[in-house]
Amino acid sequence: TDRHLWATNYKRDLSDFFKVQNEVAQAIAQEVKVRLTPQDRAQLTKSYSAKPEAVEAYLMGRHHWFQFSPEGSSNALRYFHRAIEIDPNYAPAHAGLALAYGVASARFGLRPREGMPKSKAAAEKAIELDPLLSESYVARGMARALFDWDWVDGEKDLKQALELSPNSTLVADAYAHFLTIRGRFDEAIALLNKALEHDPLSPNVNSGLGWTYYMSGQPGRAIPPLRKALELDRNFLHAHLLLGLCYQLAGQPGALTELQTGLQLAPGSALAQCFLGYVYGQTGRPAEAMKVLADLDQLASKGFVSPIAQAFVYLGLGQKDLALDWLEKAYDEHVAEMSLLRVDLALAPLRNEPRFQALIKKMGLDK
């Protein structure tokens, strides 16, 4: 109706940035007569008095982390460390560092035995400083699940995060990832669809929905949300790689194009290499698949490469015993992708193999 309801001015120093956010949120809630739960009020009265330089470094870290790329992950770690150096008691920076170490260990070449303990330590420091910060529980829960294979305590942390931030797309995406690992696909899909109601333009949530459809054995249904993710961010590495894999397993053209695009975006990505090698093997191009294995060996001479990468290429070539050899090495390294053994569609040809079943049992994935 264009009728004026309420207005006021806020002028603060940058160090009071979060305090101003909370003041504005409380004022708006009061004016529009929103009913706040005690938990809502606790969240709104929470404020951080951080040095402006720490806030800026933290926000830069968030920006780079949300790129979900090897370079973005490296830059995020650097900025979060800088924020903590400037202000050691700034809880969001510790939570950001925990998330960054977790993703770097799970996807971007940081050895899990090095990165995951750092992720848990940073998460626990953030929880000590602020027990109401949901991202800390996300980081610790995912480390417990993906590294410790502690499915019970991992889920407890993720449920706690969801209770603290029920409308957070980051929390929903993380918990949906856990539910997918556990084969609870309907719950994961419902959670992601709810998250998309809050943030339909999130590339990560759209990609997460596609990933869950793929893991549930529906690569064809995975394609539309993955394409949507790429409409929103054409440089989204993981969406290109997963879309290429889904094209291959759904019998649709375009797999190699997507995977080669992914490799161009991240030439040093073992994940991009292994998906490409898998498809080369599947499409009767063994020489090119073997070249990928040589490239992975070259990458491994410079830093950690998840043994899952070689396992995928050998699986594409139909060499099950060699694929299982590398999966056993991945088990020894506690790589995050091992959590997907029971659900990953590409691993279906191995599921009746005794060695594969032994890995499932050792990880407690059969319970």
Side-chain angles (χ1 to χ4, degrees), residues 296-312:
L296 288 170
D297 286 343
Q298 183 67 22
L299 284 175
S301 70
K302 299 175 183 177
F304 178 73
V305 170
S306 169
I308 287 281
Q310 287 92 337
F312 249 72

Side-chain angles (χ1 to χ4, degrees), residues 86-102:
I86 295 167
D87 195 336
N89 293 321
Y90 185 35
H94 289 279
L97 186 66
L99 290 170
Y101 269 125

Side-chain angles (χ1 to χ4, degrees), residues 177 181 211 215 336-344 347 365:
H177 188 107
I181 288 170
W211 181 83
M215 290 295 170
E337 299 98 330
M338 288 296 289
S339 63
L340 301 171
L341 285 194
R342 197 162 65 92
V343 294
D344 194 328
L347 298 177
L365 285 168

Side-chain angles (χ1 to χ4, degrees), residues 45-190:
T45 55
K46 177 178 65 178
S47 65
Y48 300 104
S49 295
K51 295 179 181 178
E53 297 85 356
V55 176
E56 183 176 354
Y58 165 74
L59 293 174
M60 287 296 291
R62 294 271 298 186
H63 165 75
H64 286 285
W65 185 74
F66 271 110
Q67 292 175 2
F68 293 103
S69 69
E71 184 180 4
S73 179
S74 177
N75 286 332
L77 285 169
R78 181 163 52 86
Y79 277 110
F80 289 135
H81 273 298
R82 182 185 300 176
I84 291 167
E85 287 171 7
I86 295 167
D87 195 336
N89 293 321
Y90 185 35
H94 289 279
L97 186 66
L99 290 170
Y101 269 125
V103 170
S105 302
R107 287 187 184 172
F108 300 126
L110 184 61
R111 189 175 229 105
R113 293 188 183 279
E114 177 186 349
M116 283 300 192
K118 291 180 179 179
S119 176
K120 283 196 289 183
E124 285 166 1
K125 179 63 176 178
I127 290 168
E128 176 190 326
L129 292 168
D130 180 4
L132 296 178
L133 194 57
S134 63
E135 293 177 8
S136 312
Y137 295 96
V138 168
R140 190 173 69 177
M142 294 307 285
R144 284 173 165 174
L146 300 181
F147 181 70
D148 298 333
W149 303 324
D150 180 348
W151 313 114
V152 174
D153 286 340
E155 184 166 17
K156 283 180 182 175
D157 274 340
L158 292 165
K159 282 184 173 179
Q160 176 71 13
L162 195 63
E163 287 175 10
L164 290 169
S165 299
N167 297 326
S168 165
T169 54
L170 186 153
V171 173
D173 189 50
Y175 191 24
H177 188 107
F178 176 88
L179 293 169
T180 299
I181 288 170
R182 303 299 289 148
R184 293 155 61 183
F185 303 119
D186 290 344
E187 291 177 69
I189 289 166

